[in-house]
Amino acid sequence: MLQVSQRAHYGLRAMTELAKVYGQGPRSLAEIAEIERLPVGYLEQLAMPLRRAGLIESTRGAHGGYELARPPAEVTVGDVVRALEGQVAPVECLGDEYVAGGCIRDTDCLSRSVWQRVKAGVDQVLDSMTLGDLTVLAQGHGGTAFVPISDLKHGTVSDPCAIAG
Amino acid sequence: MLQVSQRAHYGLRAMTELAKVYGQGPRSLAEIAEIERLPVGYLEQLAMPLRRAGLIESTRGAHGGYELARPPAEVTVGDVVRALEGQVAPVECLGDEYVAGGCIRDTDCLSRSVWQRVKAGVDQVLDSMTLGDLTVLAQGHGGTAFVPISDLKHGTVSDPCAIAG
DNA sequence: TATAATCCTACTCACGGACTAGGAATTCGG
DNA sequence: CCGAATTCCTAGTCCGTGAGTAGGATTATA
């Protein structure tokens, strides 16, 4: 449940690649697609909303490509994912195009209060991580960037997915 | 993004109705569907996994129906939602049918670490709320049951996962 | 001018979510 | 015992959307 689209996953992966080479000039989508094994045509479609959101800048023509518009530490994961998929909204009545009263149950809805908390939790996570944090993790300096997973979940859970480091 | 299915939403709404009348004998799906304005045929399909998960008990025949198998305070929202939609898994490599190494990038994946945190955050939220909490909210005694939303977002609580303590 | 790149639109295609249909099995009230 | 009310179960439909592909126009480099 609560699956994220390939769109967001791919886009975030591409952005981490751009973060790694920040300050070294533009990279072409072909390069990124190669590294991350992503369909380049599809990646093109992801680049547009990212650019319109002001997260990346493009250079056209030969030897052109994309680069981050801001330092990696100033781009949150939430920025990226929201640019690609819109606001976190587990149910429609929590989206920003929702007009109050659109659902008869509206604020009385018990279920809604649940999804509202889920949304708040997810937003909190997404906004607390930057692309800079991620690349630091990749360099093996993990643990200082932000709270380790083991502290997030209750205690001793031995997770096979635990972040390396 | 991160939309939850109608399945989970409907199911949770139905369960809150059962929670409201806990201890008063079984309620038919027709009644619940009426109250929550849900397609009864679809609701039938949701009842089965909830029963198999041991969350509700059924009484067949005339004047039969469903009731919670445990007191509302002992059924978490996570129990309900997972019974209907399976484990929270923003990406496949975080599901429990994922075999280590199935993705070449596996633990090196920067993006994966993001979704792992999202999952942890969501699980924390879902497991910290029970059907009992929700019905208490409905009776206007809200605020004592758990942390108000206003404290969850951009507030004093920096980590959504700190809610439970 | 050839080439490499972004930019943009449109199209396809398969999958899954959200139901509907139709019936069998069970239980209760008369 | 009969009929209504209910759960139980399987199978189908329908439609939107996610995930790409295709093809070209534009812009820059060398």
Side-chain angles (χ1 to χ4, degrees):
Chain A
M1 63 171 284
L2 280 177
Q3 289 185 339
V4 81
S5 64
Q6 293 290 62
R7 186 179 170 86
H9 198 190
Y10 288 0
L12 186 54
R13 283 164 61 184
M15 288 295 273
T16 61
E17 292 304 321
L18 289 184
K20 284 181 189 170
V21 297
Y22 178 68
Q24 303 174 20
R27 297 290 158 123
S28 74
L29 288 185
E31 287 179 86
I32 296 170
E34 168 80 9
I35 298 173
E36 290 280 338
R37 301 294 165 89
L38 301 176
V40 61
Y42 191 45
L43 206 48
E44 273 186 46
Q45 296 188 4
L46 308 186
M48 287 190 279
L50 290 172
R51 185 172 56 84
R52 295 208 186 92
L55 300 179
I56 58 179
E57 283 170 355
S58 63
T59 309
R60 300 184 69 167
H63 299 117
Y66 295 92
E67 57 196 315
L68 291 189
R70 305 196 294 267
E74 295 176 19
V75 181
T76 71
V77 171
D79 291 334
V80 173
V81 173
R82 268 183 227 106
L84 292 169
E85 283 215 72
Q87 205 188 21
V88 175
V91 288
E92 311 115 28
C93 61
L94 291 179
D96 36 24
E97 58 284 331
Y98 172 77
V99 285
C103 172
I104 324 132
R105 322 175 75 249
D106 215 66
T107 52
D108 296 342
C109 185
L110 299 184
S111 178
R112 178 192 177 144
S113 64
V114 169
W115 307 123
Q116 203 166 356
R117 278 161 200 281
V118 168
K119 169 176 165 50
V122 171
D123 278 334
Q124 177 68 49
V125 170
L126 294 182
D127 290 336
S128 66
M129 306 174 76
T130 70
L131 297 181
D133 294 330
L134 292 179
T135 53
V136 166
L137 266 188
Q139 288 160 12
H141 305 146
T144 58
F146 37 61
V147 187
I149 294 280
S150 54
D151 290 355
L152 280 179
K153 343 181 90 170
H154 11 328
T156 59
V157 179
S158 68
D159 197 319
C161 305
I163 289 180
Chain B
M1 62 171 285
L2 280 176
Q3 289 185 339
V4 82
S5 64
Q6 292 290 61
R7 187 179 169 85
H9 197 189
Y10 288 0
L12 186 54
R13 283 164 62 184
M15 288 295 273
T16 61
E17 292 303 321
L18 288 185
K20 284 182 189 169
V21 298
Y22 178 69
Q24 303 175 19
R27 297 292 159 122
S28 74
L29 288 185
E31 285 180 86
I32 295 171
E34 167 80 10
I35 298 174
E36 290 282 336
R37 301 294 163 90
L38 300 176
V40 62
Y42 191 46
L43 206 48
E44 272 187 44
Q45 296 188 4
L46 307 187
M48 287 190 279
L50 290 171
R51 186 172 55 84
R52 295 205 187 94
L55 300 180
I56 57 179
E57 285 170 355
S58 64
T59 310
R60 299 186 69 168
H63 300 116
Y66 295 92
E67 56 197 314
L68 291 189
R70 305 196 295 267
E74 295 175 19
V75 181
T76 71
V77 171
D79 290 335
V80 173
V81 172
R82 268 184 228 105
L84 292 169
E85 284 215 71
Q87 205 188 19
V88 174
V91 288
E92 312 116 28
C93 61
L94 292 178
D96 36 24
E97 58 284 330
Y98 172 77
V99 285
C103 172
I104 324 131
R105 323 175 75 249
D106 217 65
T107 53
D108 296 341
C109 185
L110 298 184
S111 179
R112 177 188 178 149
S113 64
V114 169
W115 307 123
Q116 201 166 358
R117 278 160 201 281
V118 168
K119 170 175 163 53
V122 171
D123 278 334
Q124 179 67 53
V125 170
L126 294 182
D127 290 336
S128 67
M129 305 173 77
T130 70
L131 296 182
D133 294 330
L134 292 179
T135 54
V136 166
L137 266 190
Q139 289 161 10
H141 306 144
T144 58
F146 37 61
V147 187
I149 295 280
S150 53
D151 289 356
L152 275 182
K153 33 174 62 172
H154 46 59
T156 53
V157 181
S158 58
D159 195 325
C161 307
I163 297 169

